[in-house]
Each structure stands twice: as structure tokens, then as C-alpha cells.
Coordinates of all heavy atoms in Angstrom, one line a residue:
M1 N 0.8 -1.2 0.0 CA 0.0 0.0 0.0 C 0.9 1.3 0.0 O 1.8 1.3 0.7 CB -0.9 0.0 1.2 CG -2.3 -0.4 0.9 SD -3.5 -0.1 2.2 CE -2.8 -0.7 3.7
K2 N 0.5 2.2 -0.8 CA 1.2 3.5 -0.9 C 0.6 4.4 0.2 O -0.6 4.6 0.2 CB 1.1 4.1 -2.3 CG 2.0 5.2 -2.5 CD 1.9 5.7 -4.0 CE 2.8 6.8 -4.2 NZ 2.8 7.3 -5.6
K3 N 1.5 5.0 1.0 CA 1.0 5.9 2.0 C 0.9 7.3 1.4 O 1.8 7.8 0.7 CB 2.1 5.9 3.1 CG 1.5 6.2 4.5 CD 2.6 6.1 5.5 CE 2.0 6.1 6.9 NZ 3.0 6.0 7.9
E4 N -0.3 8.0 1.7 CA -0.5 9.3 1.2 C 0.2 10.3 2.1 O 0.2 10.3 3.3 CB -2.0 9.6 1.3 CG -2.4 10.9 0.6 CD -3.9 11.1 0.6 OE1 -4.6 10.2 0.3 OE2 -4.3 12.2 0.9
K5 N 1.0 11.2 1.4 CA 1.7 12.2 2.2 C 0.8 13.3 2.6 O -0.1 13.8 1.8 CB 2.8 12.9 1.3 CG 4.0 11.9 1.0 CD 5.1 12.7 0.3 CE 6.3 11.8 0.1 NZ 7.3 12.5 -0.6
K6 N 0.9 13.7 3.8 CA 0.1 14.8 4.4 C 0.9 16.1 4.2 O 2.1 16.2 4.4 CB -0.2 14.6 5.8 CG -1.2 13.4 6.0 CD -1.6 13.4 7.5 CE -2.9 14.3 7.5 NZ -3.5 14.3 8.8
A7 N 0.2 17.2 3.9 CA 0.8 18.5 3.8 C 1.2 19.0 5.2 O 0.5 18.6 6.2 CB -0.2 19.5 3.2
P8 N 2.2 19.8 5.3 CA 2.6 20.4 6.6 C 1.4 21.2 7.1 O 0.6 21.7 6.4 CB 3.8 21.3 6.3 CG 4.3 20.8 4.9 CD 3.1 20.2 4.2
K9 N 1.3 21.2 8.4 CA 0.2 21.9 9.1 C 0.1 23.4 8.6 O 1.1 24.1 8.6 CB 0.4 21.9 10.6 CG -0.8 22.5 11.3 CD -0.6 22.4 12.8 CE -1.9 23.0 13.5 NZ -2.0 22.8 14.9
G10 N -1.1 23.8 8.2 CA -1.3 25.1 7.8 C -1.0 25.4 6.3 O -1.1 26.5 5.8
K11 N -0.5 24.3 5.6 CA -0.2 24.5 4.2 C -1.3 23.7 3.4 O -1.7 22.6 3.7 CB 1.2 23.8 3.9 CG 2.3 24.4 4.7 CD 2.6 25.8 4.4 CE 3.8 26.3 5.2 NZ 4.1 27.6 5.0
H12 N -1.7 24.3 2.3 CA -2.8 23.8 1.5 C -2.4 24.0 0.0 O -1.7 24.8 -0.4 CB -4.1 24.5 1.8 CG -4.4 24.5 3.2 ND1 -5.1 23.5 3.8 CD2 -4.2 25.5 4.1 CE1 -5.3 23.8 5.1 NE2 -4.7 25.0 5.3
A13 N -3.1 23.2 -0.8 CA -2.9 23.3 -2.3 C -4.3 22.9 -2.9 O -4.9 22.0 -2.5 CB -1.8 22.4 -2.8
W14 N -4.7 23.7 -3.9 CA -5.9 23.5 -4.6 C -5.7 23.7 -6.1 O -4.7 24.3 -6.4 CB -7.1 24.4 -4.1 CG -7.4 24.3 -2.7 CD1 -8.3 23.3 -2.1 CD2 -7.0 25.1 -1.6 NE1 -8.4 23.5 -0.8 CE2 -7.6 24.6 -0.4 CE3 -6.2 26.2 -1.5 CZ2 -7.5 25.2 0.8 CZ3 -6.0 26.8 -0.2 CH2 -6.6 26.3 0.9
T15 N -6.6 23.3 -6.9 CA -6.6 23.7 -8.3 C -7.8 24.5 -8.6 O -8.8 24.4 -8.0 CB -6.5 22.4 -9.2 OG1 -7.7 21.7 -9.0 CG2 -5.3 21.6 -8.9
A16 N -7.7 25.3 -9.7 CA -8.8 26.1 -10.1 C -8.7 26.2 -11.7 O -7.6 26.2 -12.2 CB -8.8 27.5 -9.5
T17 N -9.9 26.1 -12.3 CA -9.9 26.2 -13.8 C -10.2 27.6 -14.2 O -11.1 28.2 -13.6 CB -11.0 25.2 -14.3 OG1 -10.6 23.9 -13.9 CG2 -11.0 25.2 -15.9
V18 N -9.5 28.1 -15.2 CA -9.7 29.5 -15.7 C -10.8 29.4 -16.7 O -10.8 28.6 -17.7 CB -8.5 30.1 -16.3 CG1 -8.7 31.5 -16.9 CG2 -7.3 30.1 -15.3
G19 N -11.9 30.2 -16.5 CA -13.0 30.2 -17.5 C -12.8 31.1 -18.7 O -11.7 31.7 -18.8
E20 N -13.7 31.1 -19.6 CA -13.6 31.9 -20.8 C -13.3 33.4 -20.6 O -12.6 34.0 -21.4 CB -15.0 31.8 -21.6 CG -15.3 30.4 -22.2 CD -14.4 30.1 -23.4 OE1 -14.1 31.0 -24.2 OE2 -14.0 28.9 -23.5
K21 N -13.8 33.9 -19.5 CA -13.6 35.4 -19.2 C -12.4 35.6 -18.3 O -12.2 36.7 -17.8 CB -14.8 36.0 -18.6 CG -16.0 36.0 -19.5 CD -17.2 36.6 -18.8 CE -18.4 36.6 -19.7 NZ -19.6 37.2 -19.0
G22 N -11.6 34.5 -18.1 CA -10.4 34.7 -17.2 C -10.7 34.6 -15.8 O -9.8 34.8 -14.9
Q23 N -11.9 34.1 -15.4 CA -12.3 34.0 -14.0 C -11.9 32.7 -13.5 O -11.9 31.7 -14.2 CB -13.8 34.2 -13.9 CG -14.3 35.6 -14.4 CD -15.8 35.7 -14.5 OE1 -16.4 34.8 -14.9 NE2 -16.3 36.8 -14.0
I24 N -11.6 32.6 -12.2 CA -11.4 31.4 -11.5 C -12.4 31.3 -10.3 O -12.8 32.3 -9.8 CB -10.0 31.2 -11.0 CG1 -9.6 32.3 -10.0 CG2 -9.0 31.2 -12.1 CD1 -8.3 32.0 -9.2
V25 N -12.7 30.1 -9.9 CA -13.5 29.9 -8.7 C -12.6 29.4 -7.6 O -11.8 28.5 -7.8 CB -14.6 28.8 -9.0 CG1 -15.3 28.5 -7.7 CG2 -15.6 29.3 -10.1
I26 N -12.6 30.2 -6.5 CA -11.8 29.8 -5.4 C -12.5 28.7 -4.7 O -13.6 28.8 -4.3 CB -11.5 31.0 -4.4 CG1 -10.8 32.1 -5.2 CG2 -10.8 30.6 -3.2 CD1 -10.8 33.4 -4.5
P27 N -11.8 27.5 -4.5 CA -12.4 26.4 -3.8 C -13.1 26.7 -2.5 O -12.5 27.6 -1.7 CB -11.3 25.4 -3.6 CG -10.3 25.7 -4.7 CD -10.4 27.3 -4.8
K28 N -14.2 26.1 -2.2 CA -14.9 26.4 -0.9 C -14.1 26.3 0.3 O -14.1 27.2 1.2 CB -16.1 25.4 -0.8 CG -17.0 25.7 0.4 CD -18.1 24.7 0.5 CE -18.9 25.0 1.8 NZ -19.9 24.0 2.0
E29 N -13.2 25.2 0.4 CA -12.4 25.1 1.6 C -11.4 26.3 1.7 O -11.2 26.8 2.8 CB -11.6 23.8 1.5 CG -10.8 23.5 2.7 CD -9.9 22.3 2.6 OE1 -9.6 21.8 1.5 OE2 -9.5 21.8 3.7
A30 N -10.9 26.8 0.6 CA -10.0 27.9 0.7 C -10.8 29.2 1.1 O -10.3 29.9 1.9 CB -9.4 28.1 -0.7
R31 N -12.0 29.3 0.6 CA -12.8 30.5 1.0 C -13.1 30.5 2.5 O -13.1 31.5 3.2 CB -14.1 30.6 0.2 CG -13.9 30.8 -1.3 CD -15.2 31.1 -2.0 NE -16.3 30.3 -1.7 CZ -16.6 29.2 -2.4 NH1 -15.9 28.8 -3.5 NH2 -17.7 28.5 -2.1
E32 N -13.4 29.3 3.0 CA -13.7 29.1 4.4 C -12.4 29.4 5.3 O -12.5 30.1 6.3 CB -14.2 27.7 4.7 CG -15.6 27.5 4.2 CD -16.1 26.1 4.3 OE1 -15.3 25.2 4.6 OE2 -17.3 25.9 4.0
I33 N -11.3 28.8 4.9 CA -10.1 29.0 5.7 C -9.7 30.4 5.7 O -9.3 30.9 6.8 CB -9.0 28.1 5.1 CG1 -9.3 26.6 5.4 CG2 -7.6 28.5 5.7 CD1 -8.3 25.6 4.7
F34 N -9.7 31.1 4.6 CA -9.3 32.5 4.5 C -10.4 33.5 4.6 O -10.1 34.7 4.4 CB -8.5 32.7 3.2 CG -7.2 31.9 3.2 CD1 -7.1 30.7 2.5 CD2 -6.1 32.2 4.0 CE1 -6.0 29.9 2.5 CE2 -5.0 31.5 4.0 CZ -4.9 30.3 3.3
N35 N -11.6 33.1 5.0 CA -12.7 34.0 5.3 C -13.0 34.9 4.1 O -13.1 36.1 4.2 CB -12.5 34.8 6.6 CG -13.7 35.4 7.1 OD1 -14.8 34.9 6.9 ND2 -13.6 36.6 7.7
I36 N -13.0 34.3 2.9 CA -13.3 35.1 1.7 C -14.8 35.0 1.4 O -15.4 33.9 1.3 CB -12.5 34.5 0.5 CG1 -11.0 34.6 0.7 CG2 -12.9 35.2 -0.8 CD1 -10.1 33.9 -0.3
K37 N -15.4 36.2 1.3 CA -16.9 36.3 1.2 C -17.2 36.9 -0.2 O -16.4 37.7 -0.7 CB -17.5 37.2 2.3 CG -17.1 36.7 3.7 CD -17.9 35.5 4.1 CE -17.7 35.2 5.5 NZ -17.5 33.8 5.8
P38 N -18.4 36.7 -0.7 CA -18.8 37.3 -2.0 C -18.7 38.8 -1.8 O -19.0 39.4 -0.8 CB -20.3 36.9 -2.1 CG -20.4 35.6 -1.4 CD -19.4 35.7 -0.2
G39 N -18.2 39.4 -2.9 CA -18.0 40.9 -2.9 C -16.7 41.4 -2.3 O -16.3 42.5 -2.4
D40 N -15.9 40.5 -1.7 CA -14.6 40.8 -1.1 C -13.7 41.2 -2.3 O -13.8 40.7 -3.4 CB -13.9 39.7 -0.4 CG -14.5 39.5 1.0 OD1 -15.3 40.3 1.4 OD2 -14.1 38.5 1.6
T41 N -12.8 42.1 -2.1 CA -11.7 42.5 -3.0 C -10.4 41.8 -2.6 O -10.0 41.9 -1.5 CB -11.5 44.0 -3.1 OG1 -12.8 44.7 -3.4 CG2 -10.4 44.4 -4.0
L42 N -9.8 41.1 -3.6 CA -8.6 40.5 -3.3 C -7.5 41.2 -4.1 O -7.7 41.7 -5.1 CB -8.7 39.0 -3.8 CG -9.8 38.2 -3.2 CD1 -9.8 36.8 -3.8 CD2 -9.7 38.1 -1.7
I43 N -6.3 41.1 -3.5 CA -5.1 41.7 -4.2 C -4.4 40.5 -4.8 O -4.2 39.4 -4.2 CB -4.2 42.5 -3.2 CG1 -3.1 43.1 -4.0 CG2 -3.7 41.6 -2.1 CD1 -2.3 44.1 -3.1
L44 N -3.9 40.7 -6.1 CA -3.2 39.7 -6.8 C -1.8 40.2 -7.0 O -1.6 41.3 -7.5 CB -3.8 39.3 -8.1 CG -5.2 38.7 -8.1 CD1 -5.9 38.9 -9.3 CD2 -5.0 37.2 -7.8
L45 N -0.8 39.5 -6.6 CA 0.6 40.0 -6.7 C 1.3 39.0 -7.8 O 1.1 37.8 -7.7 CB 1.4 39.9 -5.4 CG 0.8 40.7 -4.3 CD1 1.6 40.4 -3.0 CD2 0.7 42.1 -4.6
G46 N 2.0 39.6 -8.7 CA 2.6 38.8 -9.8 C 4.1 39.0 -9.9 O 4.6 40.1 -9.8
D47 N 4.8 37.9 -10.1 CA 6.2 37.9 -10.4 C 6.4 37.0 -11.6 O 6.0 35.8 -11.6 CB 7.0 37.4 -9.2 CG 8.5 37.4 -9.4 OD1 8.9 36.7 -10.4 OD2 9.2 38.0 -8.6
E48 N 6.9 37.6 -12.7 CA 7.0 36.8 -13.9 C 7.8 35.5 -13.8 O 7.6 34.5 -14.5 CB 7.5 37.6 -15.1 CG 6.6 38.7 -15.5 CD 7.0 39.5 -16.7 OE1 8.1 39.2 -17.3 OE2 6.4 40.5 -17.0
K49 N 8.7 35.4 -12.8 CA 9.5 34.2 -12.6 C 8.8 33.3 -11.6 O 9.0 32.1 -11.7 CB 10.9 34.6 -12.2 CG 11.7 35.2 -13.3 CD 13.1 35.6 -12.8 CE 13.8 36.3 -14.0 NZ 15.2 36.7 -13.6
R50 N 8.2 33.8 -10.6 CA 7.7 33.0 -9.5 C 6.2 32.7 -9.6 O 5.7 31.8 -8.9 CB 8.0 33.7 -8.2 CG 9.5 33.7 -8.0 CD 9.9 34.4 -6.7 NE 9.5 33.6 -5.6 CZ 9.5 34.0 -4.3 NH1 9.9 35.2 -4.0 NH2 9.2 33.2 -3.3
G51 N 5.4 33.5 -10.3 CA 4.0 33.3 -10.5 C 3.1 34.3 -9.8 O 3.6 35.4 -9.5
I52 N 1.9 33.9 -9.6 CA 0.9 34.8 -9.0 C 0.6 34.4 -7.6 O 0.5 33.2 -7.3 CB -0.4 34.8 -9.8 CG1 -0.2 35.3 -11.2 CG2 -1.5 35.5 -9.1 CD1 -1.4 35.2 -12.2
A53 N 0.4 35.3 -6.7 CA 0.1 35.1 -5.3 C -1.2 35.8 -4.9 O -1.4 37.0 -5.4 CB 1.2 35.5 -4.4
I54 N -2.0 35.2 -4.1 CA -3.2 35.9 -3.6 C -3.0 35.9 -2.1 O -3.4 34.9 -1.4 CB -4.5 35.2 -4.0 CG1 -4.6 35.0 -5.5 CG2 -5.7 36.0 -3.5 CD1 -5.7 34.2 -6.0
P55 N -2.4 36.9 -1.5 CA -2.2 37.0 -0.1 C -3.5 37.2 0.7 O -4.5 37.6 0.1 CB -1.3 38.1 0.1 CG -1.5 39.0 -1.0 CD -1.9 38.1 -2.2
P56 N -3.5 36.9 2.0 CA -4.7 37.1 2.8 C -5.1 38.6 2.7 O -4.3 39.4 2.6 CB -4.3 36.7 4.2 CG -3.1 35.9 4.0 CD -2.4 36.3 2.8
S57 N -6.4 38.8 2.9 CA -6.9 40.2 2.7 C -6.3 41.2 3.6 O -6.2 42.3 3.3 CB -8.5 40.2 2.8 OG -8.9 39.7 4.1
N58 N -6.0 40.8 4.9 CA -5.4 41.7 5.8 C -4.0 42.2 5.3 O -3.5 43.2 5.8 CB -5.3 41.1 7.2 CG -4.4 39.9 7.3 OD1 -4.1 39.3 6.3 ND2 -4.1 39.5 8.5
M59 N -3.4 41.4 4.5 CA -2.1 41.8 3.9 C -2.2 43.0 3.0 O -1.3 43.8 2.9 CB -1.4 40.7 3.2 CG 0.0 40.9 2.8 SD 0.7 39.5 2.0 CE 2.4 39.7 2.4
F60 N -3.4 43.2 2.4 CA -3.6 44.4 1.5 C -3.3 45.7 2.3 O -2.6 46.6 1.8 CB -5.1 44.4 1.0 CG -5.4 45.5 0.1 CD1 -4.9 45.5 -1.2 CD2 -6.1 46.6 0.5 CE1 -5.2 46.6 -2.1 CE2 -6.4 47.7 -0.3 CZ -5.9 47.6 -1.6
T61 N -3.8 45.8 3.5 CA -3.5 47.0 4.3 C -2.1 47.2 4.6 O -1.5 48.3 4.5 CB -4.3 46.9 5.7 OG1 -5.7 46.7 5.4 CG2 -4.2 48.1 6.5
E62 N -1.4 46.1 4.9 CA 0.1 46.1 5.1 C 0.8 46.6 3.9 O 1.7 47.4 4.0 CB 0.6 44.8 5.6 CG 0.0 44.4 7.0 CD 0.4 42.9 7.3 OE1 1.4 42.4 6.8 OE2 -0.3 42.3 8.1
V63 N 0.5 46.0 2.7 CA 1.1 46.4 1.5 C 0.9 47.8 1.2 O 1.8 48.6 0.8 CB 0.7 45.5 0.3 CG1 1.1 46.0 -1.0 CG2 1.1 44.0 0.5
M64 N -0.3 48.3 1.3 CA -0.6 49.7 1.0 C 0.1 50.6 1.9 O 0.5 51.7 1.5 CB -2.2 49.9 1.0 CG -2.9 49.2 0.0 SD -2.3 49.4 -1.7 CE -2.6 51.1 -2.0
A65 N 0.2 50.3 3.2 CA 0.9 51.1 4.1 C 2.4 51.3 3.8 O 3.0 52.3 4.0 CB 0.8 50.5 5.6
K66 N 3.0 50.2 3.2 CA 4.4 50.3 2.7 C 4.5 51.1 1.4 O 5.5 51.8 1.3 CB 5.0 48.9 2.6 CG 5.2 48.2 3.9 CD 5.7 46.8 3.7 CE 5.8 46.1 5.1 NZ 6.2 44.8 5.0
V67 N 3.6 50.9 0.5 CA 3.6 51.6 -0.7 C 3.3 53.1 -0.6 O 3.9 54.0 -1.1 CB 2.6 51.0 -1.8 CG1 2.6 51.8 -3.0 CG2 3.1 49.6 -2.1
F68 N 2.2 53.4 0.3 CA 1.8 54.7 0.5 C 1.9 55.0 2.0 O 0.9 54.9 2.7 CB 0.4 54.9 0.0 CG 0.2 54.7 -1.5 CD1 -0.4 53.5 -1.9 CD2 0.7 55.6 -2.4 CE1 -0.6 53.3 -3.3 CE2 0.6 55.3 -3.8 CZ -0.1 54.2 -4.2
P69 N 3.0 55.4 2.5 CA 3.1 55.7 3.9 C 2.1 56.8 4.3 O 1.8 57.7 3.6 CB 4.6 56.2 4.1 CG 5.3 55.9 2.9 CD 4.2 55.7 1.8
S70 N 1.7 56.7 5.6 CA 0.7 57.7 6.1 C 1.3 59.1 6.1 O 2.5 59.3 6.1 CB 0.2 57.3 7.4 OG 1.2 57.5 8.4
A71 N 0.4 60.1 6.1 CA 0.8 61.5 6.2 C 1.6 61.7 7.4 O 2.6 62.4 7.4 CB -0.4 62.4 6.1
E72 N 1.2 61.1 8.5 CA 1.9 61.2 9.8 C 3.4 60.7 9.7 O 4.3 61.4 10.1 CB 1.2 60.5 10.9 CG -0.1 61.1 11.4 CD -0.7 60.2 12.4 OE1 -0.1 59.4 13.0 OE2 -1.9 60.4 12.7
A73 N 3.6 59.6 9.0 CA 4.9 59.0 8.9 C 5.7 60.0 8.0 O 6.9 60.2 8.3 CB 4.8 57.6 8.3
S74 N 5.1 60.5 7.0 CA 5.8 61.4 6.1 C 6.2 62.7 6.8 O 7.3 63.2 6.6 CB 5.0 61.8 4.9 OG 4.7 60.6 4.1
E75 N 5.3 63.2 7.7 CA 5.6 64.4 8.4 C 6.8 64.1 9.4 O 7.7 65.0 9.6 CB 4.4 64.9 9.2 CG 3.3 65.5 8.2 CD 2.0 65.8 8.9 OE1 2.0 65.7 10.2 OE2 1.1 66.1 8.3
D76 N 6.8 63.0 10.1 CA 7.8 62.6 11.0 C 9.2 62.6 10.3 O 10.2 63.0 10.8 CB 7.5 61.3 11.7 CG 6.4 61.3 12.6 OD1 6.0 62.5 13.0 OD2 5.9 60.2 13.0
E77 N 9.2 62.0 9.1 CA 10.4 61.9 8.3 C 10.9 63.3 7.9 O 12.1 63.6 8.0 CB 10.2 61.0 7.1 CG 10.0 59.6 7.4 CD 9.7 58.7 6.1 OE1 9.7 59.3 5.0 OE2 9.4 57.5 6.3
N78 N 10.0 64.2 7.5 CA 10.4 65.5 7.2 C 10.9 66.3 8.4 O 11.9 67.0 8.2 CB 9.1 66.3 6.6 CG 8.8 65.8 5.2 OD1 9.6 65.2 4.5 ND2 7.5 66.0 4.9
D79 N 10.3 66.1 9.6 CA 10.8 66.7 10.8 C 12.2 66.2 11.1 O 13.1 67.0 11.4 CB 9.9 66.4 12.0 CG 8.6 67.1 11.9 OD1 8.4 68.0 11.1 OD2 7.6 66.7 12.6
E80 N 12.5 64.9 10.9 CA 13.8 64.4 11.2 C 14.9 65.0 10.2 O 16.0 65.3 10.6 CB 13.8 62.9 11.0 CG 13.1 62.2 12.2 CD 13.0 60.7 12.0 OE1 13.6 60.2 11.0 OE2 12.3 60.0 12.8
Q81 N 14.5 65.2 9.0 CA 15.4 65.7 8.0 C 15.7 67.2 8.2 O 16.8 67.7 7.9 CB 14.8 65.6 6.6 CG 14.8 64.1 6.1 CD 14.1 64.0 4.7 OE1 13.6 65.0 4.2 NE2 14.1 62.8 4.2
E82 N 14.8 67.9 8.8 CA 15.0 69.3 9.1 C 15.9 69.5 10.3 O 16.6 70.6 10.4 CB 13.6 70.0 9.4 CG 12.8 70.2 8.1 CD 11.4 70.7 8.4 OE1 11.1 71.1 9.6 OE2 10.6 70.8 7.5
D83 N 16.0 68.6 11.2 CA 16.8 68.7 12.4 C 18.3 68.6 12.1 O 18.9 68.3 11.3 CB 16.5 67.6 13.4 CG 15.1 67.9 14.1 OD1 14.6 69.0 14.0 OD2 14.5 66.9 14.6

């Protein structure tokens, strides 16, 4: 008998088929694990060598904070430069 390998805890893999309009259906188990609801906006990150990633929705806020620092952070940096 061949023993089925189990994925490491917290690691998952699914497949999705791309439809005619380029749409994919996120498997139910994935939607449940990552709390993805109808109408949610997801961020897709792409790297031509490594592929596409769909990070958890809370990561969107973290990414945006790094790309567009808050006005307060910008003001603090300006204050430091003036000193």
C-alpha cells in the first residue's frame, strides 16, 4: 500500500480552472479557511518568474501602508530631515 503524504500543518494546495472570461472559482475550503466572502476585493501579486500570489486580505492593508506611507509618517520623516 502506498502511504498518502500529508501536507505540513497550515499548508494547502488546490486547483482552479480558468473560465472563458479569465475568471477562477476559489475552492470552498480555501474561501472558508481564509474567510473570503462574496464581494470581497482580493489583491493579486505577480512575479513573472515566481508566479501569482493571492495573499490574505489583511495583507492588503500592510502592502498599501508600505507603498503609501501615512501622512503622519511622512511628516515625521520631514521633521527628522529638518533637524
Side-chain angles (χ1 to χ4, degrees):
M1 260 194 310
K2 190 174 183 181
K3 211 175 191 183
E4 188 176 316
K5 288 186 178 181
K6 292 190 87 175
K9 185 175 179 170
K11 305 292 183 183
H12 307 276
W14 298 279
T15 61
T17 302
V18 179
E20 290 286 323
K21 295 180 181 180
Q23 297 170 320
I24 62 168
V25 174
I26 300 170
K28 182 181 180 187
E29 184 183 21
R31 294 191 314 266
E32 289 172 348
I33 290 169
F34 295 102
N35 196 30
I36 298 169
K37 306 284 185 223
D40 283 354
T41 298
L42 303 177
I43 185 170
L44 295 155
L45 304 175
D47 180 301
E48 291 183 8
K49 292 181 181 175
R50 297 178 67 190
I52 296 173
I54 306 173
S57 58
N58 63 344
M59 189 177 206
F60 181 75
T61 304
E62 294 172 26
V63 169
M64 294 309 293
K66 289 179 182 175
V67 174
F68 300 107
S70 69
E72 288 177 16
S74 296
E75 289 173 8
D76 289 345
E77 288 174 8
N78 288 337
D79 290 344
E80 287 175 8
Q81 290 176 356
E82 290 174 2
D83 290 338

